């Protein structure tokens, strides 16, 4: 066996992960699940995702397989897929705090902080002693507050800072003469018309 094949098989003395004749992993769904979890624990989320996706397709009702798949998807950066997988688990069992947490952090990675706060708050409500649940919820809430301007205006140099636009003759930023779409016309009453 070549070095690459041996590494894919998990090292010396372990059976190969795939049957090269058919391209399917050896063993049954439970074997795929266990090997996928092992690959995930060893820091190989892309390989784990492949096995776990096959296992999830064979056993779509298995929450354990779907959760492991969601973790692998998250670890490879497939946040939308991870969020959908965590969502499936959480909808099957709304009291699954880890699925709620996973749904929340995946939503945060996608920039959907409203959804993130909703599901992280559920996870914290179910397991208030879990520090990383609380930290993730605080971060998502702080991001929402910052986006809403709760901490005052952004200072020059801060990410997302936009300099104020120069004021026009009527004191309104971006008014006629500074790239505005308003046009001034002479009329009998002397008012500007749009």
């Amino acid at each position: 066996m070549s070095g690459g094949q041996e590494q894919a098989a998990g090292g010396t003395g372990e059976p190969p992960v795939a049957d090269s004749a058919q391209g399917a992993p050896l063993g049954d769904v439970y074997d795929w699940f266990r090997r996928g979890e092992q690959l995930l624990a060893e820091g190989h989320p892309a390989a784990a995702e492949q096995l776990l996706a096959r296992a999830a397709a064979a056993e779509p009702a298995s929450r354990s397989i779907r959760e492991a798949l969601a973790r692998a998807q998250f670890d490879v950066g497939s946040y939308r897929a991870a969020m959908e997988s965590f969502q499936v688990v959480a909808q099957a069992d709304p009291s699954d705090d880890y699925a709620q947490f996973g749904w929340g952090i995946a939503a945060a990675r996608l920039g959907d902080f409203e959804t993130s706060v909703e599901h992280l708050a559920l996870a914290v409500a179910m397991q208030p002693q879990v520090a990383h649940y609380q930290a993730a919820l605080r971060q998502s809430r702080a991001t929402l507050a910052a986006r809403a301007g709760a901490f005052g205006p952004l200072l020059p140099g801060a990410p997302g800072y936009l300099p104020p636009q120069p004021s026009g003759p009527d004191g309104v930023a971006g008014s006629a003469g500074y790239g505005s779409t308003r046009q001034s016309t002479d009329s009998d009453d002397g008012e500007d018309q749009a």
Side-chain angles (χ1 to χ4, degrees):
M1 188 183 304
S2 73
Q5 288 173 327
E6 182 175 302
Q7 190 173 25
T12 352
E14 292 186 29
V17 174
D19 176 2
S20 61
Q22 297 176 357
L26 291 177
D28 59 11
V29 175
Y30 183 73
D31 295 329
W32 302 342
F33 169 65
R34 298 297 297 161
R35 181 67 180 140
E37 280 195 322
Q38 181 181 0
L39 287 166
L40 193 55
E42 292 171 355
H44 304 289
E49 182 184 20
Q50 296 300 312
L51 275 173
L52 293 167
R54 189 175 289 268
E59 293 286 339
S62 172
R63 292 193 319 255
S64 299
I65 292 173
R66 182 67 66 169
E67 180 186 298
L69 174 61
R71 289 184 294 131
Q73 291 166 328
F74 187 89
D75 287 354
V76 297
S78 298
Y79 302 121
R80 177 134 341 260
M83 186 176 80
E84 291 168 0
S85 292
F86 279 123
Q87 183 178 5
V88 168
V89 176
Q91 288 174 338
D93 180 8
S95 67
D96 186 329
D97 61 284
Y98 186 77
Q100 297 289 349
F101 169 73
W103 188 350
I105 59 169
R109 291 290 174 100
L110 293 169
D112 183 356
F113 290 96
E114 291 83 5
T115 300
S116 175
V117 166
E118 177 185 346
H119 294 285
L120 291 172
L122 288 169
V124 168
M126 288 184 255
Q127 296 291 332
Q129 73 280 6
V130 180
H132 61 276
Y133 287 10
Q134 293 175 6
L137 178 59
R138 276 192 307 274
Q139 181 64 45
S140 286
R141 283 182 172 161
T143 301
L144 278 179
R147 287 183 175 179
F151 303 113
L154 291 175
L155 299 175
Y161 173 76
L162 296 173
Q165 298 298 316
S167 299
D170 60 358
V172 176
S175 67
Y178 292 95
S180 173
T181 58
R182 289 186 57 185
Q183 295 178 342
S184 178
T185 60
D186 291 333
S187 66
D188 293 332
D189 60 5
E191 294 181 0
D192 289 356
Q193 296 178 349

